[in-house]
Amino acid sequence: MTATTTIERPVATGPFVEGTTGSALEEPVIEALRTVFDPEIPVSIYDLGLIYVIDIDPSGNIYIGMTLTAPGCPVAGEIPIWVKDAVQPVDGVNTVEVEILWDPPWTPDHMSEAAKLDLGMF
């Protein structure tokens, strides 16, 4: 009989808060995430507040928990691949796992101030 290992992930409570991983990889991973744009809104997925969890272990294994602006997003199956492809080349990254999370639901309140400014929401 084999035991199943469960990896404890941080609980998603809303947009990721910078400076919470304690890893030197956090900043370059965030910069990589800022290169991935929502195809319907000309803002990065990071600044839209779609990234909820960035978990980085000492070996450079990255877990990213993210949401989408709507469950019916036409590129829902592609965005996790775009995220993985953007983060994987970062120096020091070993593996990247991306998971779509639906809780909590995304709202425009999750957007960064810069994103709101870009979209004229002030």
Side-chain angles (χ1 to χ4, degrees):
M1 184 187 275
T2 58
T4 303
T5 303
T6 303
I7 299 172
E8 294 293 324
R9 300 286 186 206
V11 175
T13 58
F16 177 75
V17 177
E18 291 184 43
T20 58
T21 68
S23 172
L25 284 174
E26 181 180 310
E27 186 177 333
V29 165
I30 290 171
E31 287 307 309
L33 291 169
R34 283 193 163 118
T35 69
V36 180
F37 284 76
D38 183 290
E40 297 176 329
I41 305 170
V43 175
S44 79
I45 61 168
Y46 187 83
D47 289 316
L48 279 174
L50 299 181
I51 303 300
Y52 284 179
V53 177
I54 300 173
D55 191 23
I56 305 170
D57 79 9
S59 299
N61 299 310
I62 313 276
Y63 167 81
I64 297 172
M66 63 174 292
T67 194
L68 301 171
T69 56
C73 177
V75 292
E78 295 172 49
I79 289 181
I81 296 166
W82 300 344
V83 169
K84 182 176 181 175
D85 288 349
V87 174
Q88 189 66 62
V90 172
D91 284 341
V93 169
N94 187 20
T95 64
V96 180
E97 177 187 350
V98 182
E99 180 180 14
I100 299 291
L101 308 172
W102 296 110
D103 190 33
W106 180 84
T107 71
D109 293 336
H110 292 172
M111 293 190 302
S112 70
E113 298 298 317
K116 290 177 183 175
L117 187 60
D118 285 348
L119 296 173
M121 297 181 72
F122 281 110

